[in-house]
Amino acid sequence: MSRAPRKERAFPWAAMLLLCLIIVVSTADRQIIALIKPVLDQTFGWSARDYARISFWTQVASACSLLASGWLVDRLGSRRVLGVALAGWSLMTVLHAVVTTVREFILVRATLGALEGAGMPSLMKLIATGVPRAERARVIGMVNAVPNIAAVITPVLVGLLLPWVGWKAMVVGLGLTGVVLAGLWLRDRSGPWSAQSSGVKHE
């Protein structure tokens, strides 16, 4: 007797919302230094060369991370790697409010870039193993649209909030938001990553 094909479970929209919020935080993390650079210039007396050094080492760390993070995702799973990386880069965002020298900023930004490098491999693995085939194109479209929307909204929000709360409160708030999202991500076992961790793959 042939078995009827098992109906695929739809991708949960609560999981999609959580994933989109993580992408928004990641996009804001990447933009924040450029957006508050004029304030940092006045506060720390940065030169163009100092800013170039910070940007250079951040990009180097991110590129190197991409080479290793895919290997980690394949062995540890996208849920675990993305959750730990998100918590780590969010803590680095908070540390922006503490460090004072160019060297310290380079260390913080490079660490943040290295941890954010785990984001894309984790996301691609999650979509490949946790999203039903019938919904993959829609999910991919959304996760590609979110960072573009966030890139437009973030400068507006920074421009509105910066005069009122100051840059330190802003980066601390952003970092703590990321830590909360990381906790929700790691604790939630109802999303598609639970199927991935048990070895079930949607086809």
Side-chain angles (χ1 to χ4, degrees):
M1 181 182 295
S2 61
R3 293 183 179 180
R6 186 176 62 180
K7 185 178 180 181
E8 291 184 325
R9 186 172 58 178
F11 188 85
W13 284 103
M16 187 73 248
L17 176 60
L18 181 57
L19 203 58
C20 287
L21 290 174
I22 291 173
I23 295 171
V24 168
V25 169
S26 175
T27 302
D29 278 334
R30 288 194 295 268
Q31 288 185 295
I32 196 69
I33 283 292
L35 294 173
I36 64 175
K37 181 181 179 295
V39 179
L40 297 178
D41 287 343
Q42 294 178 359
T43 304
F44 302 114
W46 279 4
S47 65
R49 182 178 179 181
D50 293 331
Y51 183 74
R53 289 170 57 200
I54 294 172
S55 179
F56 172 78
W57 288 112
T58 302
Q59 295 301 322
V60 169
S62 180
C64 293
S65 172
L66 287 171
L67 297 175
S69 57
W71 180 86
L72 288 174
V73 169
D74 284 338
R75 281 150 183 81
L76 301 178
S78 60
R79 184 184 66 84
R80 183 182 303 172
V81 172
L82 181 57
V84 172
L86 172 59
W89 84 59
S90 297
L91 290 174
M92 290 301 105
T93 301
V94 173
L95 287 181
H96 282 69
V98 179
V99 296
T100 57
T101 67
V102 173
R103 182 173 296 180
E104 290 171 343
F105 267 97
I106 289 174
L107 180 60
V108 167
R109 292 301 296 179
T111 305
L112 186 149
L115 291 168
E116 280 191 341
M120 185 56 66
S122 298
L123 186 60
M124 293 298 99
K125 182 84 171 186
L126 173 63
I127 292 173
T129 60
V131 180
R133 180 180 295 177
E135 298 187 36
R136 284 177 191 166
R138 179 170 54 181
V139 172
I140 291 172
M142 291 191 67
V143 299
N144 278 283
V146 168
N148 292 289
I149 296 172
V152 173
I153 296 176
T154 300
V156 176
L157 292 178
V158 170
L160 292 173
L161 294 175
L162 188 59
W164 295 96
V165 302
W167 71 271
K168 289 188 176 182
M170 200 161 50
V171 297
V172 169
L174 177 62
L176 293 180
T177 300
V179 171
V180 171
L181 291 176
L184 293 174
W185 176 267
L186 289 170
R187 291 187 62 183
D188 188 359
R189 302 284 178 170
S190 63
W193 43 84
S194 62
Q196 179 194 20
S197 63
S198 62
V200 178
K201 182 177 179 179
H202 291 289
E203 295 291 353

